[in-house]
Amino acid sequence: MKAMLQESRTARWLSSGIVALGLVLRLCLGTHSYSGKGNPPMYGDYEAQRHWMEVTLNLKVKDWYMNTTENDLGYWGIDYPPLSAYQSWLSGKFVSLFDQRSVVLLDSRGYENASSKLGMRLSVIAADLLVYIPACLALSSTIPLLSERMFVLLVLVCNPAVLIIDHGHFQYNGIGLGLTIGAIFCIVTRRYLMGSALFCCALNHKQMTLYFAPAVFVHLLGICLKEKKILGKATMLARLGAVVVVSFIICWIPFIGSMEMLQQVIKRIFPLQRGLFEDYVANFWCVSSLIFKWKKYITGAHLAKMCAIATMVASLPSLIMEVTKPSRETFILCLMNTSLAFFLFSYQVHEKSILIPLMPMSILMYPSRRTSSVYALNISLMTMYPLLKKDDLLGAYWAMHVLALSFQYFGNQEGSFSGKCKLTNIGSILEFAVFSPLVLVGIFSVHVFCVIAQLYTTKEYFTDAVIMAAGFGFLVLQLLIGSIRQYIQWKAN
């Protein structure tokens, strides 16, 4: 009993320290540049988020997604689901406390006053404190061993890729990811109805969380099918279905009164006209387009079908295993494998989408269940290099690489969070003392190679293409490893 109380106290102190570290990192990143800084007329994602606050605060809900004289959809029109729009309204209320001029309708475009920037940055931190960090604390609490519990909490709360996108580039990915993590916590602790409701909220905040939807669906379906009696199967399935329907109705209430409005919102959320991918993405379509110009020879409608088929084929083995033998261990693996399949093969993928598969990859980094390497954090950062370079965030980019590699120290030690740190075997010593520096040197070398090669080629995209191809190779390997690990676990169940 005394040992348990001591461990509980230690866990509280360590958790507080990790959260404090996460807040410090967020504040530090907030001093850097952001997407579109001082770059008119469209600026970037920072301006998009600010503009959504302006729109939601000043216009009626029915006009949020409609093209009007006061809401030009050509200028960062809202293209996220309703819950994200509601969050923009709430964030706008918060930011207006710092500078009301930052959300004045039409007259605040490109507004970059210091006080408004402070409010914007703090609004993202507030969102993390309300949603993302509590969800990380809850999920990590399900891991029995203290050192592994703290390691997962550290990787989630201080995830370098999430930090630099939300608190450098500027977005609110922590809300959608936090709702998903909360849903995972509820599902692995058998609170299936609450888990379903939270995941519906995640879907209604950011459509990218659809990458997880097949895995969540087949896991819950598998749980229903495990019920011994047919009535039990039907009852549980009906209850889950009712939760999903009610959750969506609540989120969409303002928009379901008019078919025109409903169709417009859906059209904005799924803009198929944007094309196969955006900029340079480490997925199959973008890498292969260096050789074959898909968009030149195949129509968008046919490409969308090809993407759907490729994504289905890549994720189907994982989904079949999960629906036939659902378990807590294979559920996280299924989330990772299906989200990787979506990132690698689906339609309309952009660089920031890597944050979706990175979340379950991060959960699976602790030693006794290790399926993804801590190096996945570095590779994920590297795949976003073209975006971060454009945002003038290269200093923060390299700092996040060092932060990611520092996690390797804790992930390979026995008692790393108990004050009795020691590398336990030759593999751990090699991974920390040799492989970690080599990864950083390797990533740095890729960048140096690209810079030198740029001197001998007139192709401006060469650097980004090399980095994109390297990231794609790693992610394909990660999908293969994850699928094999899930198969082994499936056979053992």
Side-chain angles (χ1 to χ4, degrees):
M1 180 64 73
K2 185 177 180 181
M4 289 177 62
L5 288 172
Q6 178 61 37
E7 181 174 306
S8 178
R9 269 196 300 270
T10 303
R12 284 198 298 271
W13 278 105
L14 289 172
S15 299
S16 300
I18 290 170
V19 171
L21 174 62
L23 291 176
V24 169
L25 290 171
R26 284 163 168 79
L27 288 169
C28 290
L29 279 168
T31 63
H32 287 73
S33 182
Y34 49 83
S35 173
K37 181 179 181 181
N39 187 26
M42 293 300 291
Y43 300 92
D45 275 349
Y46 175 93
E47 170 63 9
Q49 297 290 340
R50 187 215 59 76
H51 180 63
W52 294 356
M53 297 176 196
E54 169 197 340
V55 168
T56 53
L57 280 176
N58 292 285
L59 299 181
K60 295 178 180 179
V61 176
K62 66 181 180 68
D63 293 326
W64 287 357
Y65 291 89
M66 306 300 286
N67 195 41
T68 66
T69 55
E70 295 180 317
N71 185 23
D72 177 11
L73 295 182
Y75 185 82
W76 295 118
I78 299 176
D79 54 7
Y80 281 2
L83 205 59
S84 190
Y86 306 148
Q87 170 252 306
S88 292
W89 177 85
L90 189 60
S91 298
K93 289 287 187 182
F94 180 85
V95 171
S96 66
L97 297 175
F98 292 82
D99 192 335
Q100 289 187 338
R101 293 172 298 174
S102 64
V103 287
V104 174
L105 188 63
L106 300 179
D107 292 335
S108 58
R109 289 189 177 184
Y111 193 81
E112 296 179 314
N113 184 276
S115 57
S116 70
K117 286 189 279 189
L118 175 62
M120 293 280 284
R121 290 296 196 190
L122 290 179
S123 70
V124 187
I125 294 176
D128 280 358
L129 285 170
L130 289 171
V131 181
Y132 184 71
I133 292 175
C136 295
L137 288 165
L139 183 61
S140 63
S141 70
T142 63
I143 300 171
L145 190 61
L146 176 64
S147 60
E148 295 187 338
R149 190 190 320 154
M150 292 301 108
F151 178 68
V152 169
L153 181 63
L154 176 67
V155 174
L156 288 174
V157 171
C158 302
N159 191 297
V162 175
L163 290 181
I164 200 167
I165 290 298
D166 277 14
H167 302 275
H169 174 85
F170 199 90
Q171 280 196 328
Y172 293 88
N173 292 290
I175 297 176
L177 290 173
L179 290 168
T180 304
I181 292 170
I184 294 171
F185 165 73
C186 290
I187 291 170
V188 299
T189 54
R190 301 184 180 181
R191 300 174 173 92
Y192 301 121
L193 299 181
M194 179 59 73
S196 298
L198 285 174
F199 186 65
C200 288
C201 289
L203 290 173
N204 280 290
H205 184 266
K206 202 156 192 178
Q207 57 268 50
M208 276 200 313
T209 51
L210 274 169
Y211 288 16
F212 295 131
V216 174
F217 173 76
V218 298
H219 178 78
L220 292 175
L221 178 61
I223 294 295
C224 292
L225 295 176
K226 283 176 71 175
E227 291 288 321
K228 294 180 180 179
K229 296 181 179 180
I230 295 178
L231 182 60
K233 300 177 196 288
T235 300
M236 187 171 183
L237 193 59
R239 291 171 68 194
L240 287 169
V243 168
V244 171
V245 171
V246 170
S247 298
F248 269 82
I249 288 175
I250 291 172
C251 289
W252 286 72
I253 278 178
F255 308 102
I256 57 180
S258 163
M259 184 55 68
E260 179 190 3
M261 191 187 306
L262 185 61
Q263 290 175 340
Q264 175 66 6
V265 176
I266 294 172
K267 183 180 176 181
R268 292 295 303 166
I269 294 172
F270 299 105
L272 295 179
Q273 71 277 7
R274 284 190 181 177
L276 188 56
F277 52 82
E278 290 188 14
D279 296 325
Y280 291 96
V281 186
N283 78 348
F284 170 77
W285 305 107
C286 193
V287 171
S288 60
S289 69
L290 297 171
I291 301 170
F292 181 81
K293 304 301 179 185
W294 298 99
K295 293 185 280 189
K296 183 177 180 181
Y297 299 105
I298 304 176
T299 64
H302 283 95
L303 280 173
K305 293 176 183 176
M306 290 169 62
C307 290
I309 293 169
T311 304
M312 186 186 302
V313 170
S315 57
L316 198 58
S318 186
L319 296 173
I320 291 173
M321 286 187 281
E322 189 59 25
V323 76
T324 53
K325 292 183 182 179
S327 70
R328 169 177 164 168
E329 292 80 8
T330 57
F331 176 46
I332 308 296
L333 286 163
C334 189
L335 286 168
M336 180 181 77
N337 294 334
T338 54
S339 58
L340 273 171
F342 269 78
F343 180 82
L344 291 170
F345 300 107
S346 68
Y347 192 82
Q348 234 295 295
V349 177
H350 52 76
E351 305 103 314
K352 298 182 290 292
S353 301
I354 190 60
L355 300 183
I356 300 299
L358 184 59
M359 187 269 285
M361 287 162 68
S362 299
I363 297 171
L364 292 167
M365 285 178 187
Y366 64 98
S368 67
R369 288 288 184 273
R370 180 166 293 170
T371 302
S372 60
S373 169
V374 177
Y375 305 139
L377 298 170
N378 296 97
I379 303 299
S380 299
L381 278 168
M382 187 180 73
T383 65
M384 295 189 292
Y385 172 79
L387 174 69
L388 300 173
K389 176 180 65 175
K390 188 164 57 178
D391 292 343
D392 195 22
L393 284 168
L394 292 187
Y397 168 79
W398 286 109
M400 291 298 101
H401 270 302
V402 174
L403 174 66
L405 285 174
S406 71
F407 293 165
Q408 193 69 58
Y409 176 73
F410 297 103
N412 279 323
Q413 292 200 71
E414 182 181 275
S416 55
F417 288 91
S418 64
K420 299 177 181 178
C421 300
K422 59 178 180 179
L423 292 167
T424 55
N425 55 57
I426 188 64
S428 297
I429 294 171
L430 285 173
E431 195 163 7
F432 172 68
V434 179
F435 298 149
S436 291
L438 282 178
V439 168
L440 190 58
V441 170
I443 292 172
F444 182 74
S445 299
V446 168
H447 288 294
V448 171
F449 168 76
C450 291
V451 170
I452 294 173
Q454 197 72 37
L455 300 175
Y456 299 94
T457 178
T458 57
K459 299 182 184 299
E460 294 183 3
Y461 64 81
F462 182 80
T463 302
D464 298 339
V466 170
I467 290 172
M468 171 187 65
F472 171 72
F474 173 85
L475 294 172
V476 169
L477 180 62
Q478 182 64 69
L479 177 58
L480 290 172
I481 293 171
S483 299
I484 293 169
R485 179 63 182 270
Q486 185 178 354
Y487 175 75
I488 293 170
Q489 189 68 48
W490 178 77
K491 288 286 286 183
N493 287 344

